[in-house]
Amino acid sequence: MKGNKRWLFWAGGALIALVVLGMVLQALRNLLWDLSYWLPPWMVGPVLLLAAALVVALITQIGWPWFQAWKRRQDQPRQSTAELPPPPDTRRKAAEQSLESIDRLLDKLDDAVSREGLRQERERVARELQRGDLTVVVFGTGSSGKTSLIRALLNEIVGDVGASMGTTTKTQTYRLRLKGLQRGLQLIDTPGILESGRDGREREREARRRASRADLMLVVVDGDLRAAELDVTRHLASLGKRLLLVLNKCDLRGEEEEKRLIALLQQRCADLLSPADVIATSACPQSLPRPGKQPLQPPPEVEALLRRLASVLHADGDELLADNILLQCRHLGATGRQLLDQQRQTEARRCVDRYSWISGGLVAATPLPGVDLLGTAAVNAQMVIEVAAVYGVTLTRQRAQDLAVSVGRTLAGVGVVKGGVSLIGTALSLNLPTLLVGRAVQGVAAAWLTRIAGASFITYFQQDQDWGDGGMQDVVQRHYDLNRRDSALERFLQTAVRRVVEPLQRQVQRQLPPRPGPRAEVDASDRGSREP
């Protein structure tokens, strides 16, 4: 059945082709007959060849661009699919791909200082990925007993650590190995948070910075969470970090009070961690007096924390490390894209500024018959192409012209052109002949409108060639409102006087006839006295 349908399809296609060919041959025959009737025999052949050449040229002119556009549409999905790297099958490969994307960002950055800072952060993350140590950061207020907890954990894991550690004023790192864990473990003691004074705030920023790089965080408290502590804990959890909440100094309260606090902390942090991740410890219990003997120092009670720490690291250590590396890569990528966007914005603004004064000078030199034409004159298609190139977008001349015309019409349609001319004319005080005041106002207004249009195009390309929910009109109106502010307008007019008005004044002075000096007046009076 399918074979019969296919045969009928080809037979129908061949019949249609024969009919079309017969019609073309009949038309050629009629044309040849008519030409032989009206023209000499020796002109029929050349005229027929010329007509055929014109038809071929017309078909090529119209059909070839259409064929190329169709071919690009057909090839684009295949090319984009071929250019995409295969999806990573492990978190490690995903992190490596993220680092490669950061390398591509580094190649695009021009500022040496920004590029070097980002490169150093990239190398640090790459070293962490290669080394594979698990990082546990101990985080909390200065009075919560963080340092004592670190010392108790180290004594339990590696034995006596020697002299007592004091209050932490800077980050300290201890590298060790946990039994049964293949990866190394970095235990990091951070400065206390929520301390007063400039130094305290600086230490808190350092502690937050180190906590943001942790695979696992131990948040140490000595009682119920205060509002500030809860805010910090929620912020750290929002970064995607795994938390263990440690209630320290349990030796200072009774068993019932400890249970009540544990239940309260579990309730407050129910949306941040599981109940099993709230652990009670006593890192440095108070000594017990003994009559006639030295006071008894009870051993630290950190076994429950060690068991939970080992359980989490054994079960989820690889995922915690990979997630942390990916998170840091995302932060690096966001920082790099922000630097690149700032660089592009600066470069695009320089381009717009250049075309602003070009259009202002041209309009001032050759004024337009009506202010309604300023919107079109202020938007240059070449400016659109160059701004697009800054953002890595290649536009055809026709596409750029269409965008320029659309923005020019929008400038006029929302009243920006007439409003801008009125605003410039009012704010610009000129000492020029009346005939040239209009030229100066038009030139300055054209430069100002070009600046608004250019800023609108920058927003358009920043948003991946999207005008946003409000459309082109909303973007143009927003930049018009920003540029008409007193401070922005004053800065612009100061430059406009130097770039547009003063050249006009010099042009007027060159065109005026020289004023007669004292010598010319004396000669004229002498000639008058000698006349009969």
Side-chain angles (χ1 to χ4, degrees):
M1 188 67 178
K2 291 183 179 179
N4 292 334
K5 288 184 177 180
R6 188 179 296 112
W7 182 86
L8 290 174
F9 173 78
W10 285 109
L15 181 60
I16 293 173
L18 288 174
V19 171
V20 171
L21 180 60
M23 293 173 63
V24 170
L25 292 176
Q26 183 65 31
L28 288 176
R29 181 180 178 184
N30 293 337
L31 178 62
L32 184 61
W33 178 265
D34 292 339
L35 287 176
S36 63
Y37 180 79
W38 291 102
L39 296 176
W42 60 271
M43 289 187 64
V44 173
V47 170
L48 194 60
L49 288 175
L50 180 61
L54 290 174
V55 171
V56 171
L58 183 63
I59 293 175
T60 304
Q61 187 71 19
I62 297 175
W64 181 247
W66 177 86
F67 174 76
Q68 286 183 320
W70 176 81
K71 193 72 167 64
R72 282 195 299 269
R73 287 195 298 270
Q74 294 296 319
D75 294 343
Q76 188 173 1
R78 290 194 294 269
Q79 291 175 356
S80 59
T81 304
E83 291 172 359
L84 289 175
D89 52 1
T90 64
R91 286 185 171 89
R92 183 182 182 87
K93 289 183 179 179
E96 290 173 351
Q97 287 187 3
S98 298
L99 291 175
E100 290 174 0
S101 67
I102 294 170
D103 289 335
R104 291 191 291 271
L105 274 175
L106 286 170
D107 294 337
K108 297 177 181 178
L109 291 177
D110 295 334
D111 184 69
V113 176
S114 301
R115 185 173 61 248
E116 180 62 20
L118 188 63
R119 185 190 62 79
Q120 291 179 1
E121 282 295 298
R122 185 257 182 226
E123 290 181 352
R124 179 190 61 77
V125 174
R127 287 194 299 269
E128 290 185 8
L129 181 63
Q130 292 299 325
R131 184 173 57 201
D133 282 354
L134 291 166
T135 303
V136 179
V137 171
V138 183
F139 189 84
T141 62
S143 62
S144 60
K146 297 185 293 80
T147 303
S148 298
L149 183 64
I150 290 275
R151 184 168 187 251
L153 290 173
L154 290 175
N155 277 327
E156 289 290 335
I157 296 174
V158 298
D160 188 14
V161 295
S164 175
M165 295 179 285
T167 302
T168 304
T169 58
K170 61 180 181 180
T171 301
Q172 297 180 2
T173 303
Y174 307 92
R175 194 165 188 266
L176 59 149
R177 284 197 172 274
L178 195 63
K179 184 177 180 181
L181 191 65
Q182 294 181 352
R183 298 184 182 275
L185 183 65
Q186 289 190 33
L187 202 58
I188 299 178
D189 189 9
T190 60
I193 62 171
L194 306 179
E195 295 181 2
S196 60
R198 180 178 178 182
D199 292 341
R201 290 192 296 271
E202 187 65 32
R203 288 194 292 269
E204 180 171 342
R205 279 194 291 270
E206 171 65 16
R208 286 175 179 252
R209 186 178 66 86
R210 294 307 298 258
S212 65
R213 299 175 181 175
D215 301 319
L216 176 66
M217 282 190 299
L218 305 184
V219 180
V220 185
V221 296
D222 58 356
D224 189 13
L225 277 171
R226 292 174 286 185
E229 290 177 311
L230 183 59
D231 290 341
V232 173
T233 303
R234 288 189 180 280
H235 171 71
L236 295 175
S238 68
L239 298 177
K241 300 297 179 183
R242 177 70 182 274
L243 305 175
L244 296 182
L245 184 58
V246 181
L247 176 62
N248 198 20
K249 300 184 180 181
C250 286
D251 58 297
L252 301 181
R253 56 186 68 90
E255 184 176 350
E256 293 300 322
E257 178 67 10
E258 176 185 325
K259 291 180 179 179
R260 186 188 71 82
L261 280 175
I262 289 290
L264 185 60
L265 292 173
Q266 289 174 342
Q267 180 183 357
R268 291 190 187 280
C269 301
D271 57 333
L272 303 178
L273 39 81
S274 67
D277 289 336
V278 181
I279 306 111
T281 64
S282 180
C284 185
Q286 285 188 331
S287 58
L288 303 176
R290 293 189 299 177
K293 297 182 181 179
Q294 290 185 348
L296 177 65
Q297 179 63 49
E301 299 178 10
V302 294
E303 294 82 4
L305 175 60
L306 273 176
R307 287 196 300 270
R308 186 58 182 166
L309 188 63
S311 173
V312 169
L313 293 178
H314 279 92
D316 305 325
D318 289 343
E319 290 189 2
L320 291 175
L321 175 64
D323 289 342
N324 182 35
I325 294 294
L326 283 174
L327 181 64
Q328 293 190 56
C329 287
R330 283 198 295 270
H331 288 168
L332 280 179
T335 302
R337 286 189 294 273
Q338 183 179 5
L339 291 172
L340 181 61
D341 186 64
Q342 292 173 355
Q343 173 184 302
R344 286 172 166 174
Q345 193 169 18
T346 301
E347 188 175 349
R349 284 177 176 173
R350 283 200 297 263
C351 174
V352 170
D353 187 67
R354 185 174 72 253
Y355 277 97
S356 296
W357 304 121
I358 289 174
S359 63
L362 289 174
V363 172
T366 56
L368 299 171
V371 295
D372 292 336
L373 300 176
L374 276 177
T376 304
V379 188
N380 190 305
Q382 185 61 34
M383 179 186 72
V384 180
I385 292 175
E386 293 186 18
V387 172
V390 169
Y391 286 91
V393 178
T394 302
L395 290 182
T396 63
R397 170 68 63 173
Q398 185 60 45
R399 174 60 177 159
Q401 187 65 41
D402 293 342
L403 283 172
V405 170
S406 299
V407 171
R409 289 174 178 171
T410 303
L411 287 172
V414 299
V416 172
V417 174
K418 292 184 177 179
V421 172
S422 175
L423 188 65
I424 295 295
T426 304
L428 198 62
S429 57
L430 299 174
N431 185 18
L432 286 174
T434 306
L435 293 176
L436 294 180
V437 170
R439 292 172 58 182
V441 171
Q442 277 198 11
V444 175
W448 193 63
L449 293 172
T450 301
R451 185 177 296 258
I452 294 173
S456 302
F457 283 121
I458 291 174
T459 300
Y460 173 71
F461 289 111
Q462 279 179 338
Q463 298 175 170
D464 294 330
Q465 303 182 66
D466 184 11
W467 290 110
D469 295 336
M472 182 188 299
Q473 180 175 335
D474 183 67
V475 174
V476 171
Q477 184 68 47
R478 183 169 72 250
H479 286 291
Y480 171 70
D481 294 336
L482 289 173
N483 280 273
R484 67 181 297 184
R485 292 179 178 176
D486 292 341
S487 56
L489 185 60
E490 183 179 356
R491 288 194 303 269
F492 170 77
L493 289 177
Q494 289 175 355
T495 308
V497 169
R498 187 175 66 254
R499 302 291 292 269
V500 177
V501 177
E502 291 180 358
L504 268 180
Q505 289 174 334
R506 290 193 293 268
Q507 180 183 356
V508 170
Q509 291 172 357
R510 287 194 300 268
Q511 291 176 353
L512 289 176
R515 298 180 58 185
R519 178 69 179 174
E521 294 176 358
V522 171
D523 292 343
S525 63
D526 289 343
R527 287 195 301 270
S529 62
R530 289 196 296 268
E531 290 179 356

